[in-house]
Amino acid sequence: MQQDGLSELFRILDLTGVFANAILGGLIARKERLDPIGFVTFAVLSGLGGGILRDILLQHGPPVALRDYAYLLTAFAGAAISYLANVRGPVWERVWPVIDAIALGTWAAAGAQKSLSVGLGWLPAILLGTITAVGGGAIRDIVTRRVPTVLGGNTLYATCAIVASVVLVTCTENGYPTTGLVASTITGAGLCLVARWRGW
Amino acid sequence: MQQDGLSELFRILDLTGVFANAILGGLIARKERLDPIGFVTFAVLSGLGGGILRDILLQHGPPVALRDYAYLLTAFAGAAISYLANVRGPVWERVWPVIDAIALGTWAAAGAQKSLSVGLGWLPAILLGTITAVGGGAIRDIVTRRVPTVLGGNTLYATCAIVASVVLVTCTENGYPTTGLVASTITGAGLCLVARWRGW
Amino acid sequence: MQQDGLSELFRILDLTGVFANAILGGLIARKERLDPIGFVTFAVLSGLGGGILRDILLQHGPPVALRDYAYLLTAFAGAAISYLANVRGPVWERVWPVIDAIALGTWAAAGAQKSLSVGLGWLPAILLGTITAVGGGAIRDIVTRRVPTVLGGNTLYATCAIVASVVLVTCTENGYPTTGLVASTITGAGLCLVARWRGW
């Protein structure tokens, strides 16, 4: 029962992250003066790219983003909102960093967990947790001809995903997978927020 | 018998599309002043990239472009012709848009069909049909440091692939897979040609 | 016994190539003024990208670079050394081309061999041998917004990988897999070195 509630919460956080990152993808499509196809593409890359990259590397069936309709529909909704309204202003500026930090923690935890569950060891699990969290943004940057910001010149970001993945792997390998999921998400999100507020 | 004839026709259209897009890839390699390796690479990316991307996402064995020799050999032939002769001029300008439109319809239909056949639903089938049709060109644009033209600033292109994929999925889900294949290809190709002639 | 010694030697050459290419990736990260995450990313792309690309295309389980820890740890070691010391100067300038040439031969041979062993034919085996050898560098170039140097403007490089792959496929298809592995590596490495010294 409690387990079910946790899965449900985790899914909500996951999809909220997809939604917010899809909106961000739309903002970038707007800056690049793209058409609706561009908005959808950038929304999908931003919101789902990291998980798709992880699933391609895991080679364990088609990406979950192609099997669970909620993912694509959420990304499309983000693209549509971003296309219809120029989502900027004080609310977005205040809400976005929080949602993005939660998404980073959630995705790192989910990515590391899935890697362990298909039989990979701790080292690739940490790598794939990190890729899940930051890969979508990196692909989006490459498509817009930027060296991915995650590689330098930003505040701590990938590092938070690495720490979250390490927490998940450590807890899970010691027999506490559920604790690991919660602790990993909170650590990743918290660290990311602190890093932004402090300008690390 | 009729079914066999249809498969044969479909294969011819498919490979013609690979050939023409491989030549286009060679034209871009020439503009970038690349060597023969560059011609082959751009021919393969242009002609086979969309299908390879689809097969990587479907996770259903190695890409068909690596298993059926006709694909690679056709792409190499396009690269060779493009390397030996600067394929430009009135004939190319008139023939290319027609072949490209047919390829777009053929690839969208084939991509959506294959996605359904490995068990994915209508939504990812439409997405993968579209990726099959426009993905090769998009990858080629990224490698040449352009924001993919398919994302903005061109006439309707991805939209035609989406429509073609929708036609295929609708017909197939209602029990008419063969009709769907024909109708989807014709719709995609026709729409693309009209969009170009009208400058949509 | 002799077979074991050969596998061992081959593995040492493979990991030496990963190490040297990871250091090169770090040098490029330094030029782009990236942070430690950037160093690790470029080290992994340079040292392991070709093999990962091959394994994604082969669709035969997760990339070996994610299963055999030696690969990731070697790439990380290269990144660390490159981050701590600006590896330049006469020793690097003299040693790097030799190690790079050996890596090219080793990776082409290993890539072509693995492709044959999962059931692909001679043509895709040659393609995938070449991609294994030059793919990592090409991905690294794309991420740094360069048209991959392997496509033009350099001395013979991809050609050496193609020749090495052809040697491996020819020997293996005729019943001499071990001879093929040795001959292929030596041919690829030797040709690459001669091409550099002669400025082909």
Side-chain angles (χ1 to χ4, degrees):
Chain A
M1 197 61 211
Q2 205 188 345
Q3 191 72 24
D4 276 10
L6 190 66
S7 306
E8 195 58 30
L9 174 64
F10 204 72
R11 186 176 167 80
I12 290 169
L13 293 180
D14 185 358
L15 290 174
T16 307
V18 171
F19 186 65
N21 272 283
I23 289 178
L24 179 71
L27 286 175
I28 292 167
R30 182 179 295 277
K31 217 189 292 175
E32 300 269 341
R33 299 172 181 280
L34 301 180
D35 64 18
I37 303 290
F39 276 75
V40 169
T41 305
F42 275 66
V44 168
L45 289 179
S46 290
L48 306 175
I52 291 174
L53 196 53
R54 173 201 65 209
D55 289 340
I56 288 175
L57 289 167
L58 285 181
Q59 301 257 333
H60 220 253
V64 67
L66 296 181
R67 283 183 294 179
D68 181 341
Y69 278 32
Y71 286 101
L72 277 177
L73 293 174
T74 302
F76 291 167
I81 285 178
S82 216
Y83 185 73
L84 296 174
N86 191 351
V87 187
R88 284 280 188 202
V91 177
W92 171 258
E93 299 298 341
R94 206 167 301 165
V95 172
W96 158 251
V98 178
I99 297 183
D100 185 46
I102 295 173
L104 177 121
T106 310
W107 292 352
Q113 188 194 42
K114 184 163 182 184
S115 304
L116 291 178
S117 78
V118 304
L120 289 177
W122 63 270
L123 185 57
I126 292 169
L127 185 70
L128 286 169
T130 308
I131 287 175
T132 307
V134 308
I139 295 175
R140 188 194 58 219
D141 288 343
I142 292 170
V143 174
T144 51
R145 301 168 320 237
R146 289 187 190 86
V147 171
T149 54
V150 71
L151 302 182
N154 61 337
T155 56
L156 289 190
Y157 192 70
T159 308
C160 307
I162 295 172
V163 172
S165 303
V166 168
V167 169
L168 184 121
V169 168
T170 310
C171 293
T172 304
E173 299 279 271
N174 286 293
Y176 301 102
T178 308
T179 309
L181 208 57
V182 175
S184 163
T185 305
I186 292 175
T187 308
L191 197 59
C192 182
L193 278 176
V194 172
R196 281 194 180 167
W197 286 332
R198 297 268 172 128
W200 284 344
Chain B
M1 198 60 211
Q2 206 189 345
Q3 191 70 26
D4 275 9
L6 191 65
S7 306
E8 195 59 29
L9 174 65
F10 205 73
R11 185 175 168 82
I12 290 168
L13 293 180
D14 185 0
L15 289 174
T16 307
V18 171
F19 186 65
N21 272 283
I23 289 177
L24 179 71
L27 285 175
I28 291 167
R30 183 179 295 275
K31 217 189 293 174
E32 300 269 341
R33 298 171 180 280
L34 302 180
D35 63 19
I37 302 291
F39 276 74
V40 169
T41 305
F42 274 67
V44 168
L45 289 179
S46 290
L48 305 175
I52 291 174
L53 197 53
R54 174 201 65 208
D55 289 339
I56 288 175
L57 288 166
L58 286 180
Q59 301 256 332
H60 220 253
V64 66
L66 296 182
R67 284 182 293 178
D68 181 340
Y69 279 31
Y71 287 102
L72 277 177
L73 293 174
T74 303
F76 291 167
I81 286 178
S82 216
Y83 185 72
L84 297 174
N86 190 352
V87 187
R88 284 279 187 203
V91 177
W92 171 259
E93 299 297 340
R94 206 167 300 166
V95 171
W96 158 252
V98 178
I99 297 183
D100 185 45
I102 295 173
L104 177 122
T106 309
W107 292 351
Q113 188 193 40
K114 184 163 183 184
S115 304
L116 291 178
S117 78
V118 304
L120 289 177
W122 62 270
L123 186 56
I126 292 168
L127 185 70
L128 287 169
T130 308
I131 287 175
T132 308
V134 307
I139 295 175
R140 188 194 58 219
D141 288 343
I142 292 170
V143 175
T144 51
R145 301 167 321 238
R146 288 187 191 87
V147 172
T149 54
V150 71
L151 302 181
N154 61 337
T155 57
L156 289 190
Y157 192 70
T159 309
C160 307
I162 295 172
V163 172
S165 303
V166 169
V167 169
L168 185 122
V169 169
T170 310
C171 293
T172 305
E173 299 279 271
N174 286 293
Y176 301 102
T178 308
T179 309
L181 208 57
V182 176
S184 164
T185 304
I186 292 174
T187 309
L191 198 58
C192 181
L193 278 176
V194 172
R196 281 193 181 168
W197 285 333
R198 298 268 172 128
W200 284 344
Chain C
M1 197 61 211
Q2 207 190 344
Q3 191 71 25
D4 276 12
L6 190 65
S7 306
E8 195 58 30
L9 173 65
F10 205 72
R11 186 176 168 81
I12 290 169
L13 294 181
D14 185 359
L15 290 173
T16 307
V18 171
F19 186 65
N21 272 283
I23 290 178
L24 179 71
L27 285 175
I28 291 167
R30 182 179 295 276
K31 217 191 293 176
E32 300 269 342
R33 298 171 180 279
L34 301 180
D35 63 19
I37 303 291
F39 276 74
V40 169
T41 305
F42 274 66
V44 168
L45 289 180
S46 291
L48 306 174
I52 291 174
L53 196 54
R54 174 202 64 208
D55 288 340
I56 288 175
L57 288 167
L58 286 180
Q59 302 257 333
H60 219 253
V64 66
L66 297 182
R67 284 183 293 179
D68 181 341
Y69 279 33
Y71 286 101
L72 277 177
L73 293 174
T74 303
F76 291 169
I81 285 177
S82 216
Y83 185 73
L84 297 174
N86 191 352
V87 187
R88 285 280 187 201
V91 176
W92 170 259
E93 299 298 340
R94 205 167 301 166
V95 171
W96 158 251
V98 178
I99 298 183
D100 185 45
I102 295 172
L104 177 121
T106 309
W107 293 350
Q113 187 194 42
K114 184 164 181 183
S115 303
L116 290 178
S117 78
V118 304
L120 289 177
W122 62 271
L123 186 56
I126 292 168
L127 185 70
L128 286 169
T130 307
I131 287 175
T132 307
V134 307
I139 296 175
R140 189 193 58 218
D141 288 343
I142 292 170
V143 174
T144 50
R145 300 169 319 239
R146 289 186 191 86
V147 171
T149 53
V150 71
L151 302 182
N154 60 338
T155 56
L156 288 190
Y157 193 69
T159 308
C160 307
I162 295 171
V163 172
S165 303
V166 168
V167 169
L168 184 121
V169 168
T170 309
C171 294
T172 305
E173 300 279 271
N174 286 294
Y176 301 102
T178 307
T179 309
L181 209 57
V182 175
S184 163
T185 305
I186 293 174
T187 309
L191 198 58
C192 181
L193 279 176
V194 173
R196 281 193 181 167
W197 285 332
R198 297 267 172 127
W200 283 344

